[in-house]
Amino acid sequence: MMGRLQEKFRSFFSNRWLVFVAAMWVQSCAGIGYLFGSISPVIKSSMDYNQRQIARLGVAKDLGDSVGFLAGSLCEVLPLWAALLIGALMNFIGYGWVWLIVTGRAPTLSLWAMCILIFVGTNGETFFNTVALVSCVQNFPKSRGPVVGILKGFAGLGGAIMTQIYVTIHSPDHASLIFMVAVGPTMVIVALMFIVRPVGGHRQVLPTDAMSFTFIYSLCLLLAAYLMGVMLVEDLIDLNHTVITIFTVILFVLILIPVVIPVQLSFFSEPRALEEEALLPAPEKQEVGKSEQDANEVIFSEVEDEKPKEVDLLPALERRKRIAQLQTKLFQAAAEGAVRVKRRRGPHRGEDFTLTQALIKADFWLIFFSLLLGSGSGLTVIDNLGQMSQSLGYDNTHIFVSMISIWNFLGRVGGGYFSEIVVRDYAYPRPVAMAVAQLLMAVGHIFIAFGWPGAMYIATIFVGLGYGAHWAIVPAAASELFGLKKFGALYNFLTIANPAGSLLFSGVIASSIYDMEAEKQAHQHHHLHTIPGSVFQGMLRLDAPKCDGAICFFLTSLIMSGLCIVAFVLSMILVHRTKIVYTNLYGKSRSAGPS
């Protein structure tokens, strides 16, 4: 009896669903960047910074959040628990030092040193992101869409979760939020760092997987609805501390509930059938068959080169039959020495690429620029949401910030879910789901441009859903086209598209057009006092003029909408180029069907 229980505990700690649930909790600590808007006021007041200096700290935060080369490289050479520990230490040291300075417990540093601390603290997130995604994509290679969508969704919810905990602490010292950001995620990561890793065992799609994913999806929807409700109630009603504490306890229960899946699978379900275990290749057999597998891959690459173009236009069943015939002929010819199968330089789509190999592929750059245009335009709206809503005459801007956060979360979860249906049920390229998300965003930008009544509510839905969907679809698509071996480095390179798009669209286009329209309005109302002959008049003015009306972001939003259309075109080019890859990845399993 005791031995059986020990075996069940071993099964529990090596269960891939436990890894997935722990990775969800790790990802909820990877939303530190979303809290910058809440901690920047106390930094500004205690350090006596102006808005421009705070903006520089914000840029350091964005860079730390997105530049993950170090995380991607270290995850390839270090054990994943060590990478998580490094990320936790960076978070603790970066934000812990900021807290010491803000509270007067450490000497004041210059602005550039503060930028470095913020960068280091936020860069810890990239380690959490990389380890969680690498582990779970390897554990669930046949369910990448749902896995990535749910994990990235929890990263988006991290800020809302931490804010709710801070509200419960009810500290009059606003600097304590910085302390919580430094200590809270560090404790969670250290507790979970030995659990989140690739585990051995069955990696096929099991009958229980669909039910488990449905359970987690339902919980995600419930969690999003609950957080939205709690935010609205706390914003509109003055609640006592007991009620807020109850809200937070319920939130923790919802976050912890997914652990019932690995508990049920490990302790209360029957052991796997022998026939199912037979699907698992033994490690030694894998090694022996490696050269044969390499030969198969070479032959497959040759087939891709040799097949006539009209084959791709045939019905799926006929196309597979023709390709199989060509493959058989090539095998026979190669075996007889009549044909020497040439090994082309570098891997083919669907095989394992290094970052260097991926950087010379058109498909990789199509993903990158489509992401830059799509997510960059979405981040521009997120960064300028306060000014956008104010210019359209809304007093309460917090409601739109909360709404876009929730829709961002649902976009990530939903993007993973629907893109998985596209590849699993239709063997169609996953990037088509990204193209749909970009069309949604284009419509959302149009609503902001014209500023119709209620436009901001609709715009936050469309832009939030579309922006969030990018971060579920892109990592999964990249892992399918460029393999899992160097996934950490590939993913962290692609994330650079986010701050690059934000810097270009928000820092250059949106801010310049807004300032230009504000200047025009100020001149019209004779409120601008110029300094004759001074080229520095804009720099010397203390209060920048505000812009009112849809005109403030009209041109910016039209440009953003146009960029989303361009991103849509790039995504559809990628879809056209990768049809054959997805047919080979998912078409065979689909045509085989359940026996």
Side-chain angles (χ1 to χ4, degrees):
M1 180 66 182
M2 194 66 183
R4 185 177 173 81
L5 194 61
Q6 285 178 340
E7 188 180 330
K8 285 187 178 290
F9 269 108
R10 272 198 300 272
S11 169
F12 175 70
F13 284 109
S14 62
N15 189 294
R16 63 181 183 160
W17 280 99
L18 177 67
V19 176
F20 184 42
V21 172
M24 286 160 55
W25 297 337
V26 165
Q27 284 293 88
S28 67
C29 297
I32 300 162
Y34 294 105
L35 279 173
F36 184 75
S38 300
I39 65 176
S40 58
V42 68
I43 297 176
K44 184 178 181 180
S45 60
S46 65
M47 303 291 290
D48 200 23
Y49 283 164
N50 58 33
Q51 191 58 38
R52 187 173 295 172
Q53 290 170 311
I54 286 294
R56 287 176 186 169
L57 287 181
V59 171
K61 180 269 299 180
D62 287 338
L63 288 172
D65 196 16
S66 302
V67 178
F69 285 123
L70 183 62
S73 303
L74 288 180
C75 284
E76 289 177 12
V77 296
L78 291 178
L80 292 184
W81 65 263
L84 277 179
L85 183 59
I86 290 171
L89 289 174
M90 289 175 70
N91 174 75
F92 181 71
I93 292 168
Y95 280 103
W97 202 334
V98 170
W99 175 74
L100 290 173
I101 293 168
V102 166
T103 55
R105 292 176 169 86
T108 302
L109 297 177
S110 59
L111 178 62
W112 65 266
M114 291 292 288
C115 285
I116 290 174
L117 289 179
I118 292 287
F119 173 88
V120 168
T122 315
N123 198 242
E125 279 186 43
T126 62
F127 287 84
F128 308 159
N129 264 315
T130 305
V131 172
L133 288 173
V134 166
S135 300
C136 292
V137 168
Q138 288 186 20
N139 289 339
F140 293 87
K142 303 289 186 184
S143 306
R144 301 177 200 197
V147 164
V148 174
I150 290 165
L151 289 178
K152 296 300 291 182
F154 269 85
L157 273 189
I161 292 168
M162 287 193 201
T163 301
Q164 183 59 30
I165 296 168
Y166 174 67
V167 170
T168 309
I169 294 171
H170 199 61
S171 171
D173 176 17
H174 294 294
S176 59
L177 178 59
I178 305 175
F179 179 80
M180 194 187 79
V181 167
V183 174
T186 305
M187 292 170 63
V188 173
I189 300 303
V190 170
L192 298 173
M193 65 184 185
F194 292 112
I195 296 176
V196 182
R197 79 261 185 234
V199 291
H202 203 290
R203 294 184 186 178
Q204 303 287 333
V205 177
L206 299 180
T208 54
D209 284 357
M211 193 183 301
S212 300
F213 276 121
T214 302
F215 178 75
I216 289 185
Y217 273 127
S218 305
L219 200 64
C220 286
L221 292 175
L222 179 61
L223 189 58
Y226 178 75
L227 271 171
M228 175 71 93
V230 167
M231 284 177 185
L232 289 174
V233 169
E234 289 178 350
D235 198 41
L236 300 173
I237 303 171
D238 190 16
L239 301 172
N240 64 46
H241 190 250
T242 306
V243 175
I244 293 173
T245 305
I246 292 170
F247 280 162
T248 308
V249 169
I250 295 171
L251 175 64
F252 271 109
V253 170
L254 289 174
I255 293 170
L256 292 172
I257 280 177
V259 81
V260 303
I261 295 173
V263 168
Q264 198 275 332
L265 290 174
S266 300
F267 292 98
F268 300 104
S269 60
E270 292 299 315
R272 290 197 293 263
L274 288 173
E275 309 90 73
E276 193 178 356
E277 290 289 352
L279 291 170
L280 273 173
E284 60 271 14
K285 287 183 182 174
Q286 283 180 317
E287 291 302 315
V288 171
K290 196 170 181 186
S291 58
E292 186 182 339
Q293 182 186 346
D294 288 346
N296 288 358
E297 287 176 357
V298 175
I299 289 291
F300 172 75
S301 300
E302 193 74 11
V303 167
E304 201 173 334
D305 292 340
E306 298 293 332
K307 73 177 190 314
K309 289 194 175 177
E310 59 268 19
V311 168
D312 288 337
L313 303 175
L314 295 171
L317 191 62
E318 181 63 27
R319 182 172 69 245
R320 278 193 292 275
K321 193 185 294 181
R322 292 278 293 276
I323 288 175
Q325 288 170 353
L326 181 58
Q327 201 167 9
T328 305
K329 284 180 184 175
L330 278 169
F331 266 124
Q332 289 171 348
E336 293 165 6
V339 171
R340 173 171 288 184
V341 177
K342 63 182 182 294
R343 185 182 290 273
R344 278 168 50 173
R345 288 183 184 176
H348 292 262
R349 285 176 287 193
E351 299 171 7
D352 287 324
F353 282 70
T354 63
L355 179 59
T356 310
Q357 290 168 333
L359 287 175
I360 59 172
K361 294 296 179 183
D363 293 342
F364 189 80
W365 289 106
L366 282 170
I367 293 176
F368 182 85
F369 284 110
S370 180
L371 180 63
L372 187 146
L373 297 175
S375 75
S377 68
L379 197 57
T380 300
V381 173
I382 292 170
D383 289 346
N384 294 278
L385 204 54
Q387 291 96 320
M388 284 180 171
S389 52
Q390 283 175 353
S391 66
L392 292 176
Y394 295 96
D395 295 325
N396 185 5
T397 61
H398 298 296
I399 183 68
F400 296 114
V401 174
S402 299
M403 277 185 68
I404 207 163
S405 297
I406 299 299
W407 290 114
N408 177 13
F409 167 70
L410 292 175
R412 293 173 186 224
V413 174
Y417 177 76
F418 288 111
S419 71
E420 195 68 15
I421 290 176
V422 168
V423 299
R424 182 82 44 214
D425 295 351
Y426 301 99
Y428 204 71
R430 194 183 296 273
V432 76
M434 191 160 75
V436 173
Q438 286 154 352
L439 280 184
L440 274 181
M441 292 180 73
V443 175
H445 290 305
I446 292 291
F447 273 91
I448 297 172
F450 289 96
W452 297 307
M456 281 303 294
Y457 292 97
I458 299 170
T460 50
I461 294 173
F462 284 0
V463 174
L465 282 174
Y467 173 78
H470 280 77
W471 295 103
I473 297 163
V474 166
S479 72
E480 286 161 337
L481 295 175
F482 302 104
L484 293 170
K485 194 172 181 182
K486 304 291 182 182
F487 175 66
L490 294 166
Y491 167 73
N492 280 300
F493 184 90
L494 289 171
T495 58
I496 297 171
N498 217 30
S502 173
L503 189 65
L504 179 61
F505 307 144
S506 181
V508 178
I509 297 174
S511 59
S512 301
I513 294 173
Y514 180 90
D515 287 344
M516 182 180 71
E517 294 297 338
E519 294 275 358
K520 283 182 187 176
Q521 291 185 7
H523 277 298
Q524 287 168 1
H525 293 96
H526 306 287
H527 287 158
L528 182 64
H529 302 290
T530 59
I531 303 173
S534 172
V535 294
F536 301 109
Q537 61 181 33
M539 293 174 67
L540 294 174
R541 189 178 59 247
L542 294 177
D543 296 317
K546 287 187 178 180
C547 180
D548 292 314
I551 191 66
C552 306
F553 288 94
F554 175 75
L555 184 56
T556 298
S557 297
L558 287 184
I559 292 171
M560 297 294 110
S561 186
L563 291 173
C564 286
I565 298 295
V566 175
F568 166 80
V569 172
L570 294 178
S571 294
M572 291 310 295
I573 293 171
L574 183 64
V575 167
H576 176 72
R577 288 172 58 90
T578 57
K579 277 182 183 176
I580 185 67
V581 183
Y582 280 89
T583 300
N584 284 300
L585 276 174
Y586 294 98
K588 291 173 187 174
S589 58
R590 183 170 159 258
S591 63
S595 54

